[in-house]
Amino acid sequence: MKIYKKGDEISYALGVFPTIELLKIRPQDVIRVIVHSSITQNKGYPVIKELCDKNHIHIDIHDKTIDKLSPKNNCFAIGVFKKYESIIEDENHVVLVNPMDMGNMGTIMRTMLGFHYKNLIIVRPAVDIFDPKVIRASMGAFFHLNVQYYDDFETYYQEYKEREFYPLMLKGAKNIHSVTTCKKHSLIFGNESSGLPDDYLNYGQSVFIPHGEKIDSLNLSMALGLTLFHFSKEEFMGKEVLKENV
């Protein structure tokens, strides 16, 4: 096995939990699972073994391969899988324009899944979503999402222009707290350093997140988390009310 490179046909889920999520969601794409000799002490190992047995996936015990492929010492399992394409659903979308940080991308994926957003659009140039660092940072949320790349935003916009668009911008015209919607929508975010360029003010309803004057902006993953919470709060508030009435 070799260190991951962007053009490779396979990638790796580094860690016990990401490997379990891979085996649960995409067993058809798993080539094999590599484990450390000390994994029997990990409570996730019986789950990995059960899923591998169920799907007839071979488990290799190979400490040197684990050490070679994982930069961290606490990796006890690696799921080796074929890269695959996913189909975007006509539901609510998160759109990231030129995201470049692998750790941020993984955190964003995990946050999306937590707020029931499962469709991610990425406008190039952008980070490689199949990089093992992204998958590990997502804690396996990666395997639950549908992700599609576009070379430019306009192409995406023309395909889905019947929905509502909300670019998140410092120059946004509307306070996010005054925005409500029950329609299908796309939440659009710029990259970590420069945000969205001004021409995104022409797409849909631009919004901003108000904050104190002692900072100039929120980082991307924080802004996304606050935005997804705002746009999904009706759904979660409804569940809480239902729970209270049971």
Side-chain angles (χ1 to χ4, degrees):
M1 303 300 294
K2 60 181 182 178
I3 301 296
Y4 174 81
K5 292 183 179 179
K6 189 173 182 178
D8 293 346
E9 295 182 354
I10 64 171
S11 185
Y12 312 118
L14 305 180
V16 170
F17 192 77
T19 298
I20 289 173
E21 293 301 289
L22 167 64
L23 290 167
K24 285 180 178 178
I25 307 302
R26 307 279 316 184
Q28 70 274 20
D29 296 311
V30 181
I31 298 171
R32 60 176 168 146
V33 172
I34 305 168
V35 299
H36 195 275
S37 57
S38 62
I39 195 173
T40 53
Q41 304 171 25
N42 190 293
K43 62 182 180 181
Y45 179 63
V47 181
I48 288 177
K49 190 174 186 311
E50 179 182 356
L51 289 168
C52 285
D53 290 344
K54 176 182 176 181
N55 294 287
H56 309 290
I57 295 168
H58 184 66
I59 298 178
D60 287 331
I61 301 174
H62 207 282
D63 294 3
K64 288 185 177 180
T65 301
I66 294 280
D67 294 339
K68 178 182 178 181
L69 298 180
S70 176
K72 296 188 176 182
N73 294 327
N74 62 341
C75 182
F76 297 99
I78 296 177
V80 184
F81 67 96
K82 297 176 292 185
K83 291 183 179 179
Y84 57 88
E85 293 184 0
S86 53
I87 299 173
I88 293 294
E89 300 167 332
D90 188 20
E91 298 294 338
N92 297 329
H93 295 172
V94 169
V95 182
L96 301 180
V97 180
N98 311 141
M100 296 296 182
D101 187 282
M102 287 184 284
N104 260 354
M105 179 60 75
T107 301
I108 285 167
M109 289 177 169
R110 192 177 182 193
T111 304
M112 284 180 60
L113 188 61
F115 289 108
H116 297 172
Y117 282 74
K118 295 185 178 181
N119 295 278
L120 174 61
I121 305 298
I122 300 175
V123 180
R124 296 187 178 99
V127 67
D128 173 19
I129 59 166
F130 282 101
D131 192 293
K133 294 177 183 177
V134 173
I135 297 169
R136 182 158 189 162
S138 80
M139 291 298 290
F142 171 88
F143 301 111
H144 294 262
L145 303 183
N146 304 310
V147 186
Q148 186 170 340
Y149 282 95
Y150 282 79
D151 289 327
D152 60 87
F153 179 78
E154 182 64 24
T155 301
Y156 165 73
Y157 177 76
Q158 291 301 325
E159 287 186 26
Y160 292 95
K161 61 183 178 181
E162 300 304 319
R163 61 177 51 223
E164 294 182 344
F165 288 83
Y166 296 98
L168 272 291
M169 307 178 68
L170 292 175
K171 295 181 181 179
K174 204 166 186 178
N175 186 319
I176 193 172
H177 296 301
S178 65
V179 175
T180 57
T181 182
C182 295
K183 297 180 180 179
K184 291 176 185 176
H185 56 267
S186 295
L187 306 174
I188 310 162
F189 301 85
N191 89 347
E192 295 84 355
S193 60
S194 58
L196 290 172
D198 288 352
D199 55 352
Y200 279 82
L201 291 167
N202 300 319
Y203 292 104
Q205 175 63 66
S206 61
V207 296
F208 66 92
I209 301 173
H211 55 71
E213 297 177 356
K214 293 187 181 296
I215 61 169
D216 59 352
S217 64
L218 298 167
N219 66 37
L220 175 58
S221 56
M222 178 62 74
L224 182 135
L226 291 171
T227 303
L228 297 192
F229 170 77
H230 175 79
F231 277 87
S232 62
K233 64 184 179 183
E234 294 296 329
E235 174 190 357
F236 285 97
M237 287 174 64
K239 287 184 177 181
E240 191 62 34
V241 170
L242 181 63
K243 188 185 296 184
E244 290 176 358
N245 291 333
V246 171

